Amino acid sequence: MRIGIVGCGGRMGRTLVQQVLETDGGALAGGTERPGSDLVGQDVATLVGAPPAGAAVTDDPSTLFATADAVIDFTTPAVTVENAALAARTNTILVVGTTGLDAGALARLAEAAKKTRIVQAPNMSVGVNLLFALTRRVAATLGVEYDIEIVEHHHRHKVDAPSGTALGLGRAAAEGRGVDLDAVADRARDGHTGAREDGHIGFAVLRGGDVVGDHTVMFAGPGERVELTHKASDRVIYARGAVRAALWAADKPNGLYSMTDVLGL
């Protein structure tokens, strides 16, 4: 499978390039960078110190989508929505690891997925997706006397909060309880907030240093506390999951999929 990388010159982009090179059944189709970037025209494999792969960095996404079997996108919501439309026009598999997608962006991905295969998840890590499943199961088992709090910590450069993974964990917990997350989420607390409301799901956000991503789901009940935690120490876990998703989607019908589908959870 020829796999292209959007934003191939960034930290995540280079990690994805390296992962494609190391994956059996994967080959680099090229990458994209912003117009004016010094990387445009270079062979994408050389970005990670590998021998040339015959796949260039371009500033024209349509060129990449026309030649790739699959494209992986960990960029921004606006760029991802544009790339979903390109994927639909070229029937190219699109794997989306972009965070901060709102309901409108997700709806446009779903529309594009009628004409191609799109795998979208707030987190591509195998371990985190197992955490989603466990959170759903524990929330369904424990009653509302167990307060749910989600704590996440990321590096100082992250621009969205709570993280997409934290919100995904909140949705998993809400699904386990059969409620709508928007109706029970406490995403900010400051000042005299009053007592905690029964059944609500709280979020706490930490930003600092170079933390790749730590997430904990706490179920605090009377006399005991259950905590589910995932700590990421290397971005390669996201790249590994994304490439796995691209290969998985090769023989699937058009539609919008998640890592839950990829992993059979």
Side-chain angles (χ1 to χ4, degrees):
M1 173 181 282
R2 290 176 54 78
I3 301 174
I5 311 299
V6 178
C8 59
R11 288 180 299 175
M12 193 65 220
R14 291 174 192 254
T15 303
L16 286 162
V17 168
Q18 185 67 50
Q19 186 61 40
V20 172
L21 289 172
E22 294 177 358
T23 300
D24 290 341
L28 286 169
T32 65
E33 267 301 325
R34 295 183 181 88
S37 169
D38 293 340
L39 301 179
V40 173
Q42 292 187 31
D43 190 287
V44 67
T46 63
L47 300 182
V48 295
V57 179
T58 179
D59 58 7
D60 179 12
S62 62
T63 299
L64 180 63
F65 276 85
T67 57
D69 301 313
V71 172
I72 301 176
D73 182 342
F74 278 71
T75 57
T76 66
V79 171
T80 295
V81 167
E82 293 176 0
N83 286 336
L86 275 175
R89 287 200 293 271
T90 57
N91 193 29
T92 305
I93 295 168
L94 180 64
V95 177
V96 176
T98 302
T99 62
L101 297 170
D102 60 18
L106 291 171
R108 293 178 68 177
L109 261 62
E111 184 65 27
K114 294 177 181 178
K115 297 181 179 180
T116 190
R117 293 136 291 170
I118 297 179
V119 181
Q120 183 274 327
N123 193 303
M124 290 286 167
S125 158
V126 172
V128 165
N129 281 277
L130 179 59
L131 182 60
F132 288 149
L134 291 171
T135 297
R136 192 176 295 109
R137 176 72 177 271
V138 174
T141 301
L142 300 179
V144 292
E145 64 271 22
Y146 286 79
D147 299 323
I148 302 176
E149 292 287 317
I150 298 169
V151 182
E152 59 105 336
H153 184 184
H154 281 84
H155 54 87
R156 67 190 310 274
H157 300 291
K158 187 166 178 59
V159 297
D160 57 310
S163 69
T165 301
L167 292 172
L169 290 166
R171 282 190 292 273
E175 289 167 5
R177 285 189 168 174
V179 298
D180 178 17
L181 177 62
D182 291 338
V184 298
D186 286 331
R187 293 179 54 166
R189 296 185 179 115
D190 184 44
H192 191 278
T193 61
R196 192 186 199 284
E197 293 194 46
D198 291 343
H200 274 215
I201 297 173
F203 292 85
V205 174
L206 307 177
R207 291 288 178 268
D210 59 358
V211 177
V212 174
D214 294 350
H215 295 86
T216 294
V217 184
M218 178 190 302
F219 298 85
E224 64 179 355
R225 190 167 68 247
V226 177
E227 296 183 359
L228 304 174
T229 296
H230 180 275
K231 294 180 181 290
S233 58
D234 194 324
R235 288 177 178 80
V236 72
I237 63 173
Y238 310 130
R240 193 178 297 131
V243 174
R244 178 172 175 174
L247 295 172
W248 174 88
D251 60 353
K252 300 300 182 291
N254 292 345
L256 181 62
Y257 300 96
S258 71
M259 284 299 289
T260 299
D261 300 308
V262 175
L263 300 176
L265 294 173

